[in-house]
Amino acid sequence: MTLKVYGLPQSSATQRVLVVLKEKNVPYELVPVDFFGGELKSLAFLAKSPFGLIPYIDDDGFILCESLAICKYIAAKYAGSGTPLLPDQSDVKAVALFEEACSVEESNFQPIATGIVVEKYFKAFRGLQPDDKVVEECISKLNEKLGGYEAILKKRRFLTGDNMTVADLAHLPTGTIIGDVGVKLLGDPDKRPNVARWWKEISSLPSWLTVVAEAKAA
Amino acid sequence: MVFKLFGNARSRPTLRVAHILKEMQVPFEFVAIDVQGNEHKTAEYLKKQPFGQIPYIDDDGFVLFETRAICKYIATKWRGQGPALFPDPSDLKATALFDQALSIEYSNFDNAAVNIAVEKVYKPKYLNKPTDEALVAEQVSKLEAKLEGYEAILSKQKYLAGEYVTLADLYHITFGFYIVEEGGLMLFTDEAKYPNMARWWKDITSRPAWLAVKGGL
């Protein structure tokens, strides 16, 4: 049975899963959810995804939530297909550095970048005005964090070393939206040349460009 | 060379790592970082931890930061010496459910828990600043909205990843405990409202390895 992804092509969390599926050449079916119709609060949905969040996958009866967990599962299950997106599992230190990079994204990037997305993207979508003070604070914090990224990427092509992993790709959806709403911190080569180099490489992946195109077409 | 933990004696994230070191019976040396003096923002420190955060570890020259990565590394390297705190990596589905539980902690619990801890405990106790009660109320409300999800999961299985305790359960303790014990917010201990969550909370916070470090290093 073809792997099913329950989500939306425009949802950032769903997009993380889609880019990994595409990088690994894994066939899948995206089953759109009725987000605005309240499907995510229905008992049927909560039985699959207890926090009422998208995406979740159904891999021949195996249900899994949380985009990062799904990405890692796909990368492990299809390790031999497409781009390898995980470190050598027998290398304890390489695995540790990969977990460190995933954690860096979750703690030092995602919450701050999401703050910008909420103010400048979601609010606009609902016809509300952004809180400029919050945006300013988030930009300031993100600038500080990207200093850390610059230090890491000065020594490495990708966050964990020579090879691209799920940790790099995890930044794509939210990183792309903040660029779209005018916060061009990731792509600034003068300020942070290595972050810009890394961002250009991952955001130019054909798999990512397809995810973006499919979101626009939806 | 002995395993070195660089952090602060009462810092929640530092204690998260210390807890797992105790679980796995790994001898370690705690090195206090002068947080008050901003040692963690010096150029020297940033070479080890580029985000200027505590803690980090040095295991015979191998430097690692981010507490959850550190804890997983400890639980992996010393597997067999303590409880198996994550499933066998060759079991892809069990591993996926473990990763799902880790992500649940990070995305549904951590952010609100940290914010509440900072406002209710850290600011008044260590920074002599007043608690922003409105912010606390907002964050508590955010956290409470997630407790239904926890209760649903824990009503079907003993722990977040299945029938065995894993790192995903234990990561909740360091901030959760702070909120309950020092912040006075009985969020996860309401047996009437969330019986399974209360059962789970009591279980994980009674572990001897946690009790050994909960007062600080």
Side-chain angles (χ1 to χ4, degrees):
Chain A
M1 197 192 90
T2 311
L3 188 147
K4 289 195 173 140
V5 181
Y6 291 82
L8 288 170
Q10 311 90 335
S11 131
S12 344
T14 305
Q15 288 178 346
R16 281 166 152 196
V17 171
L18 299 182
V19 73
V20 168
L21 285 164
K22 290 184 189 297
E23 274 295 317
K24 307 292 292 169
N25 301 319
V26 176
Y28 67 91
E29 183 194 335
L30 177 59
V31 181
V33 300
D34 184 10
F35 187 86
F36 296 103
E39 183 182 346
L40 274 57
K41 299 202 206 298
S42 71
L43 288 175
F45 191 89
L46 290 170
K48 297 280 160 77
S49 180
F51 295 95
L53 300 169
I54 53 170
Y56 76 84
I57 61 160
D58 180 344
D59 184 21
D60 211 3
F62 176 59
I63 307 292
L64 189 66
C65 309
E66 299 294 320
S67 61
L68 195 61
I70 298 170
C71 289
K72 286 176 174 178
Y73 170 70
I74 292 162
K77 184 174 175 182
Y78 300 97
S81 170
T83 314
L85 292 175
L86 292 174
D88 176 359
Q89 295 300 295
S90 65
D91 185 339
V92 177
K93 289 179 182 175
V95 171
L97 290 173
F98 168 70
E99 300 282 3
E100 179 190 271
C102 289
S103 191
V104 161
E105 191 276 332
E106 278 179 291
S107 60
N108 289 312
F109 180 80
Q110 186 64 15
I112 305 166
T114 297
I116 297 169
V117 170
V118 166
E119 294 303 320
K120 296 199 73 160
Y121 182 75
F122 286 141
K123 277 189 170 176
F125 195 74
R126 280 143 57 194
L128 300 165
Q129 284 289 74
D131 184 336
D132 288 327
K133 189 159 176 249
V134 173
V135 175
E136 227 177 275
E137 247 175 63
C138 288
I139 291 175
S140 169
K141 275 187 196 164
L142 191 55
N143 254 318
E144 199 197 308
K145 298 297 186 182
L146 290 177
Y149 275 79
E150 182 64 19
I152 294 168
L153 293 165
K154 203 168 187 176
K155 294 179 260 178
R156 300 174 188 161
R157 183 176 167 192
F158 297 103
L159 289 173
T160 57
D162 294 329
N163 302 309
M164 189 170 72
T165 66
V166 166
D168 304 285
L169 299 183
H171 294 75
L172 282 170
T174 308
T176 299
I177 301 179
I178 64 170
D180 288 346
V181 298
V183 178
K184 308 272 182 202
L185 294 177
L186 290 167
D188 189 341
D190 298 319
K191 216 166 175 179
R192 283 171 288 259
N194 292 284
V195 170
R197 183 251 319 143
W198 164 80
W199 181 251
K200 187 174 181 187
E201 184 161 9
I202 62 172
S203 60
S204 316
L205 289 167
S207 58
W208 176 244
L209 296 174
T210 308
V211 169
V212 170
E214 286 174 0
K216 290 204 168 105
Chain B
M1 200 192 86
V2 75
F3 188 106
K4 286 187 177 161
L5 170 60
F6 295 82
N8 174 279
R10 298 187 66 87
S11 129
R12 301 291 98 198
T14 303
L15 294 182
R16 177 181 285 138
V17 174
H19 173 199
I20 302 308
L21 284 163
K22 290 283 185 195
E23 290 279 355
M24 303 310 291
Q25 301 185 80
V26 178
F28 68 97
E29 181 191 329
F30 167 65
V31 180
I33 295 294
D34 181 11
V35 173
Q36 292 270 55
N38 277 324
E39 182 184 347
H40 55 313
K41 306 293 178 191
T42 61
E44 204 50 48
Y45 189 92
L46 291 173
K47 283 185 198 157
K48 304 283 184 178
Q49 213 288 12
F51 298 95
Q53 297 159 323
I54 57 165
Y56 77 87
I57 59 118
D58 183 331
D59 180 27
D60 208 7
F62 177 57
V63 174
L64 194 64
F65 56 91
E66 294 295 318
T67 61
R68 293 166 184 83
I70 296 169
C71 291
K72 175 94 187 298
Y73 170 72
I74 294 162
T76 304
K77 185 171 172 182
W78 283 277
R79 198 173 178 80
Q81 204 170 276
L85 293 176
F86 62 92
D88 190 327
S90 65
D91 186 340
L92 293 190
K93 287 182 179 172
T95 297
L97 293 173
F98 167 67
D99 281 331
Q100 176 181 263
L102 288 177
S103 193
I104 284 170
E105 185 267 328
Y106 228 148
S107 46
N108 293 305
F109 181 87
D110 184 69
N111 197 247
V114 171
N115 290 336
I116 295 166
V118 167
E119 287 303 321
K120 286 288 287 195
V121 188
Y122 191 67
K123 274 171 82 173
K125 200 168 176 174
Y126 297 101
L127 298 178
N128 245 311
K129 284 186 180 162
T131 300
D132 181 347
E133 294 290 354
L135 179 60
V136 171
E138 186 206 323
Q139 294 293 309
V140 166
S141 170
K142 221 175 134 193
L143 198 50
E144 276 179 333
K146 301 296 184 176
L147 299 185
E148 299 273 356
Y150 274 85
E151 184 64 21
I153 294 168
L154 294 166
S155 68
K156 292 186 222 150
Q157 55 197 50
K158 202 166 175 199
Y159 298 99
L160 290 174
E163 290 308 305
Y164 301 98
V165 74
T166 66
L167 294 171
D169 305 287
L170 303 185
Y171 290 163
H172 291 77
I173 301 173
T174 195
F175 278 101
F177 171 81
Y178 211 44
I179 293 167
V180 170
E181 294 293 320
E182 296 206 36
L185 291 170
M186 301 298 140
L187 288 171
F188 332 112
T189 53
D190 191 339
E191 284 177 13
K193 210 169 175 188
Y194 304 114
N196 289 286
M197 189 157 188
R199 183 255 314 147
W200 166 82
W201 183 252
K202 194 173 176 184
D203 180 319
I204 61 176
T205 53
S206 319
R207 294 177 71 87
W210 166 250
L211 298 176
V213 303
K214 77 173 198 185
L217 295 177

